[in-house]
Amino acid sequence: MATLLYRLGKFSYRHRWLVISLWLAVLVAVGGSAAAFHGTMSNNFQIPGTETQRMLDKLKADLPEASGGSAGIVFEAGSSGFDQAGKDAVAAALAKLEKLPTVQSTVNPFETQAELDKAPAAVEQGEKQAAAGNAQLEQARAQLAAGEAQLKAAEEQMAAAGLPAAAIDAQLGPQKAQLAAGKAKLDAGRKQAAEGAEKLALAKRQLQASEGMRFVSEDSRAAIAQVQFKTSINALTPADRQEVQDISHEVSSAGVTALASKEITEDVSQLFGVAEIVGIAVAALALIVMLGTLIAAGLPLLMALVGVAVGVGGTFALTGVIDMSSISPMLALMLGLAVGIDYSLFIVNRHRGQLLAGMDPEESAALATGTSGNAVLFAGLTVVIALAALVVPGLPFLAVMGLSAAATVAVAVVVSLTLTPAVLSLIGPRLISRRAWAKAARHNAEPGHESADRAADAAKSNRGWGGLVTRHPVWSLLAGVVLLGVLALPASQLRLALPDGGSEPVESQAFQAYDLTRKSFGEGVTGPIVVVGELPGGLSDSEAVNKQLDVAEELRSVDKVVAAVPVALSPATGSDGHRTAVFQVIPQDGPASESTVHVVSELRAKGSDIAADTGVTIGLTGQTAGNVDVSEKLGAALPPYLAIVVGLSVILLLLVFRSVVVPLLATGGFLLSLAAAFGAVVAVYQWGWLGAVFDVANPGAVLSFLPIILIGVLFGLAMDYQVFITSGMRESYMHGENARQAVRSGFSHAAAVVTAAAIIMVSVFAGFIFSHLTMVRPLGFAMAFGVLVDAFVVRMTILPAAMYLLGEKAWWLPRWLDRVLPDVDVEGASLERAGARAGAPDDAGEAKELVP
């Protein structure tokens, strides 16, 4: 592979304009495709086959008008509450919203609250009327009974007097007819009273069902309106969302503030924000400091931007045909920038060192591609495999996320191996400053400088951080393990959920809407649970309504359920009757809270009792229940995915380093850094530690798919640093140094470039900690922190200390396994053996060292 990459580097160097033209053509093609075919991104994390998806499909079939997404708009008046002008302004805005093509209907909070407020009085009035009617019926019944008794006595008296039956009937006939009419009237009254009693009982049950529901706050300062859309929330375009907000904000003319919920305000169409640009600027500064010139620093940045443009642009082009979450291109962007800069830096740094040592520029670019490029290829392959393995859990949105990020990383690798040597050919000697050239010329002109350089390298390897760690290996190893162990302690409290409005920035409209709703109506109103019931066949209207109320009573009996309100009933279809009922269940706490997760579980467990008692089969759907499903599925997928990644780590490192111990050390270090990253995320985003620093105003559960993504990404990046550090140690060991000195030499040669790469990657990831998309923030933090501890604590402290202690044992490999394993030659030693380079420095490590 090293020889093939050497030839590829030489071809790219010689045919620079062809390579550059091809990449320009790819950029134009991808950009045109993204502009022409891109669709709307969403944050739809539904999983096909789950109960939530089945119930949603049922709603689309039976009650299409209730299957679209819904969202809240909360209106806030001044301290005196809503006046008539404010109420009229809200009503006008809602009426205008109903005319939008995307809106199915709206619920006026004042009209609905007025009906709820009138309901108790209406029921009381009905009870009084029913009591008065019953009293009248009783009086009429008593009068009829007295009339019947009188008529019977008169009939007996006439019969005793000897009058014939015909005479009796003729004489008492009018009284009998009058009595029969009275009976008929009484029966009609009784029937009417029974119907009234049935309606009154139904009204009482409906009143009971609406208990706990309010649309206007007790102090009349807040009102919440529901907007039902014709499509899912995720299908709304940014223009649709903005139009809803603009119309809502028209109420400001009446002194009313409108605050739309997160479902409406969330705009996932924009990738870059100010924070991301700052992160790239910090990375650029690190490159300038490390490489010495703007041209040299700009080259890795340019390569990363080309890779990101192609990878993310291709991802955007597919949004028209693939349902893609907003996190997919963001993850691809984060990784593409970070690895794109690092991979190009490794090749540029090697080329720069070789040029200063006097190597021919073309040969140097080819050799850098064959050696450092070989390590880049392997390192990139580990990231690609780890990300592509996200298809294993079987979650469609996660698979799309992993594959899009893997494709972007793959593009970054190809850009580094082809476009980098082509641009190096174009730049020529300008890659290095005149001062550095002059210093190198003086140094190379000195007689015997090769021996002096080797002596200087040996002395240097005993100094610095590597020298300190290897002089005190036991303490270094213990300190590193203890530090990561302490950082990992909060990870035991990890709780997963998808974010709600409470996780948004405090100044955002979404957070203000969430906060006002929580304070005025209860936190559960911010995330209601939708329950769908399948009714038995053949029910009449009244039977269906009563059956619906029976189910609502059962739902209200679940602990920490504030209200369970019937909200819709499918139309009767012939003899089948009403078949589908919809309920809105309001939990006590917010949608991302632990108690709401228990409510969802309890509601599902209650399903068997409801079916036994009422004959109604229930299922849960909606955003809250769907988010709980996603979090549970992701949590269940973590152990097998981690096992796949760890197993892959051991096999790949066994191939690369031909050692049993090194893969185990690398994998153990990866697990330590992963646990520490989890612990830091829990401390900051779940417990709120340093919340003011990281803008975490309302700490809560951790983003549900953060752990599985972090495992894949951190594994790949950790293996990058493992390859670049340990390959130098193995190279020194294979060149004849004793095992312990090889640890120092290899560390010395790789430390500077790995330090630069880690700083750059942490800077890029840290830029996303303050992203305009709050869902991305904990992911950026986790990646930045994970890379930080893995690079500096695991790879640059624990690993060299452990390998120094092990000595020769670190490179132990059974003979039979040595014969079976293929030689992947990550260090590019085959190039040296084949004599593929000319005029290269004798010391293999000299080319690796970052020249100041």
Side-chain angles (χ1 to χ4, degrees), residues 806-841:
L806 288 169
E808 299 282 343
K809 295 177 183 177
W811 303 107
W812 176 77
L813 183 70
R815 289 184 179 179
W816 65 267
L817 190 56
D818 186 41
R819 290 192 298 269
V820 172
L821 291 177
D823 186 4
V824 297
D825 188 22
V826 172
E827 302 89 356
S830 61
L831 291 178
E832 297 179 11
R833 289 194 302 267
R837 58 177 178 151

Side-chain angles (χ1 to χ4, degrees), residues 661-751:
V661 177
V662 170
L664 295 177
L665 284 176
T667 304
F670 159 67
L671 294 175
L672 276 174
S673 55
L674 180 67
F678 282 161
V681 169
V682 169
V684 174
Y685 290 91
Q686 188 173 314
W687 294 353
W689 292 6
L690 300 177
V693 176
F694 295 103
D695 195 19
V696 183
N698 193 24
V702 173
L703 183 67
S704 56
F705 49 80
L706 181 148
I708 200 165
I709 291 177
L710 182 61
I711 288 172
V713 172
L714 190 57
F715 162 72
L717 300 181
M719 294 309 103
D720 285 359
Y721 299 133
Q722 180 73 28
V723 168
F724 285 107
I725 287 182
T726 316
S727 60
M729 297 177 183
R730 184 171 186 270
E731 186 174 358
S732 297
Y733 179 68
M734 298 303 291
H735 284 177
E737 291 188 13
N738 68 68
R740 291 186 170 177
Q741 183 58 37
V743 171
R744 288 179 172 176
S745 298
F747 184 92
S748 176
H749 293 151

Side-chain angles (χ1 to χ4, degrees), residues 232-299:
S232 69
I233 291 291
N234 298 307
L236 295 175
T237 65
D240 293 334
R241 297 170 187 271
Q242 190 58 51
E243 190 172 16
V244 171
Q245 293 176 65
D246 291 342
I247 293 174
S248 303
H249 293 156
E250 290 177 2
V251 299
S252 60
S253 60
V256 177
T257 302
L259 298 170
S261 64
K262 178 188 175 187
E263 291 78 12
I264 296 174
T265 60
E266 189 172 51
D267 181 6
V268 296
S269 62
Q270 183 183 357
L271 285 185
F272 261 116
V274 175
E276 291 88 340
I277 295 173
V278 171
I280 295 175
V282 174
L285 182 62
L287 284 170
I288 293 171
V289 171
M290 292 293 171
L291 296 177
T293 66
L294 288 174
I295 293 177
L299 180 55

Side-chain angles (χ1 to χ4, degrees), residues 94 279 289 493 594 598 608 611 684:
L94 294 176
V289 171
Q493 304 298 316
E594 192 170 6
H598 290 310
S608 57
V684 174

Side-chain angles (χ1 to χ4, degrees), residues 37 39 317-323:
F37 305 119
L318 294 174
T319 56
V321 293
I322 298 176
D323 187 16

Side-chain angles (χ1 to χ4, degrees), residues 101-140:
T102 55
V103 175
Q104 178 75 36
S105 61
T106 62
V107 176
N108 186 312
F110 301 106
E111 294 177 356
T112 308
Q113 188 63 54
E115 291 176 4
L116 289 176
D117 291 342
K118 290 176 183 176
V123 169
E124 186 179 352
Q125 182 64 25
E127 288 178 336
K128 290 179 179 178
Q129 291 176 352
N134 288 334
Q136 290 175 356
L137 286 174
E138 183 61 30
Q139 184 179 1

